[in-house]
Amino acid sequence: MSTDCSLLLHDVTMAGLQELRFPEEKPLLRGQDATELESSDAFLLAADTDWKEHDIETPYGLLHVVIRGSPKGNRPAILTYHDVGLNHKLCFNTFFNFEDMQEITKHFVVCHVDAPGQQVGASQFPQGYQFPSMEQLAAMLPSVVQHFGFKYVIGIGVGAGAYVLAKFALIFPDLVEGLVLVNIDPNGKGWIDWAATKLSGLTSTLPDTVLSHLFSQEELVNNTELVQSYRQQIGNVVNQANLQLFWNMYNSRRDLDINRPGTVPNAKTLRCPVMLVVGDNAPAEDGVVECNSKLDPITTTFLKMADSGGLPQVTQPGKLTEAFKYFLQGMGYIAYLKDRRLSGGAVPSASMTRLARSRTASLTSASSVDGSRPQACTHSESSEGLGQVNHTMEVSC
């Protein structure tokens, strides 16, 4: 284990977390942030009355978290982390407000994490503030898990958020049941990339620089309505000074220390099931392909989505919902869920009973015990494939 990771593990212990003091939760009411919402697009408008805001103290500062529901037995929480330039609303509202996705998530507690200072209405950090490193951002998440009493989480991360969640799973593997990583780039920037980023920052505004990270050049030219919406939201909703700090830290990240098991001695890898997602016209495609090559093919699914571009959770929420449903099925969380396109009617409530598997049992055997956290595996393309172990799949849907 590297020195950095050792220090993080020393700094962030579950025993130490017991001593933290957390502010009282605050309800997130419809109509809050009215000035911002009046001028926003549809993907910012949905704020349900059952979402609650929290500011959670961590070893590296406060984290703004928005949560719906409460822990349900041994079922994990769904925890999200957004990309740089966004916040949980801009990144995930379209996806989580999609009707079929709500049929799934109503059976889980859902927890959206905003990176420090990126939430709507965030105060500007004081001059000289040191933004947490990517490793420290990951080390803030056990405080969230501890605060809400989660046993473990299924993480959904996009871009920088995917990198943070992957780091979190490497440092705290027992807290992560599964990961959906959209647009992850496991590589740090070389000096040529770093110089190009610096030059871009001198010749472009910060929102435009971030847009080139979120969207491909083709999208920037051809999908002007969506791009313009995000340009306005990034410029008006996210504090620009705070965003600059997050952007700088993301661009100074190190390589994600993972290797496919068996390729190098003592290879580190993600131990949980992983679904890698990228649009077929996304700037992150090469990075996601390389990440796929470094993960265990037995527990990894690679999903390449057609007509999705740089933000598949925004442009193709239905396809990503379907993929997420199968991913959950592979871990035994959804035994049955009708597709409205086949039924022609409302989607019935999903059966969310956990098909638990003992860690010592065969992956292909399933039982109904509720005691131990099961060893999950990747999904098959049909709901009948629960318990099967698949090799990496490349799916263009």
PDB file of all heavy atoms in Angstrom, residues 4 83 219 347 381 387:
ATOM      1  N   ASP A   4       0.478   7.380   0.736  1.00  0.00           N
ATOM      2  CA  ASP A   4      -0.720   8.223   0.779  1.00  0.00           C
ATOM      3  C   ASP A   4      -1.902   7.456   1.309  1.00  0.00           C
ATOM      4  O   ASP A   4      -2.664   7.938   2.147  1.00  0.00           O
ATOM      5  CB  ASP A   4      -1.039   8.764  -0.625  1.00  0.00           C
ATOM      6  CG  ASP A   4      -0.053   9.848  -1.028  1.00  0.00           C
ATOM      7  OD1 ASP A   4       0.677  10.352  -0.154  1.00  0.00           O
ATOM      8  OD2 ASP A   4      -0.043  10.174  -2.217  1.00  0.00           O
ATOM      9  N   ASP A  83     -19.550  14.821 -11.729  1.00  0.00           N
ATOM     10  CA  ASP A  83     -18.332  15.195 -12.449  1.00  0.00           C
ATOM     11  C   ASP A  83     -17.930  16.625 -12.099  1.00  0.00           C
ATOM     12  O   ASP A  83     -18.710  17.407 -11.547  1.00  0.00           O
ATOM     13  CB  ASP A  83     -18.562  15.072 -13.955  1.00  0.00           C
ATOM     14  CG  ASP A  83     -17.268  14.920 -14.749  1.00  0.00           C
ATOM     15  OD1 ASP A  83     -16.176  15.036 -14.141  1.00  0.00           O
ATOM     16  OD2 ASP A  83     -17.346  14.683 -15.964  1.00  0.00           O
ATOM     17  N   GLU A 219     -20.279  17.068 -30.367  1.00  0.00           N
ATOM     18  CA  GLU A 219     -21.433  17.523 -29.599  1.00  0.00           C
ATOM     19  C   GLU A 219     -21.416  19.035 -29.423  1.00  0.00           C
ATOM     20  O   GLU A 219     -22.467  19.688 -29.492  1.00  0.00           O
ATOM     21  CB  GLU A 219     -21.444  16.860 -28.224  1.00  0.00           C
ATOM     22  CG  GLU A 219     -21.825  15.401 -28.219  1.00  0.00           C
ATOM     23  CD  GLU A 219     -21.808  14.839 -26.806  1.00  0.00           C
ATOM     24  OE1 GLU A 219     -20.703  14.685 -26.254  1.00  0.00           O
ATOM     25  OE2 GLU A 219     -22.893  14.576 -26.273  1.00  0.00           O
ATOM     26  N   VAL A 347     -45.207   0.313 -14.721  1.00  0.00           N
ATOM     27  CA  VAL A 347     -44.263  -0.681 -14.242  1.00  0.00           C
ATOM     28  C   VAL A 347     -44.621  -1.060 -12.813  1.00  0.00           C
ATOM     29  O   VAL A 347     -44.745  -0.195 -11.952  1.00  0.00           O
ATOM     30  CB  VAL A 347     -42.823  -0.133 -14.279  1.00  0.00           C
ATOM     31  CG1 VAL A 347     -41.855  -1.147 -13.676  1.00  0.00           C
ATOM     32  CG2 VAL A 347     -42.423   0.177 -15.710  1.00  0.00           C
ATOM     33  N   GLU A 381     -27.340 -10.909 -19.380  1.00  0.00           N
ATOM     34  CA  GLU A 381     -28.206 -10.008 -20.135  1.00  0.00           C
ATOM     35  C   GLU A 381     -29.676 -10.325 -19.918  1.00  0.00           C
ATOM     36  O   GLU A 381     -30.532  -9.631 -20.423  1.00  0.00           O
ATOM     37  CB  GLU A 381     -27.872 -10.087 -21.619  1.00  0.00           C
ATOM     38  CG  GLU A 381     -26.551  -9.431 -21.948  1.00  0.00           C
ATOM     39  CD  GLU A 381     -26.349  -9.305 -23.430  1.00  0.00           C
ATOM     40  OE1 GLU A 381     -26.746  -8.287 -24.003  1.00  0.00           O
ATOM     41  OE2 GLU A 381     -25.805 -10.242 -24.023  1.00  0.00           O
ATOM     42  N   GLY A 387     -26.740 -14.882 -10.546  1.00  0.00           N
ATOM     43  CA  GLY A 387     -25.743 -15.787  -9.996  1.00  0.00           C
ATOM     44  C   GLY A 387     -24.693 -16.187 -10.987  1.00  0.00           C
ATOM     45  O   GLY A 387     -23.673 -16.732 -10.624  1.00  0.00           O
TER      46      GLY A 387
END
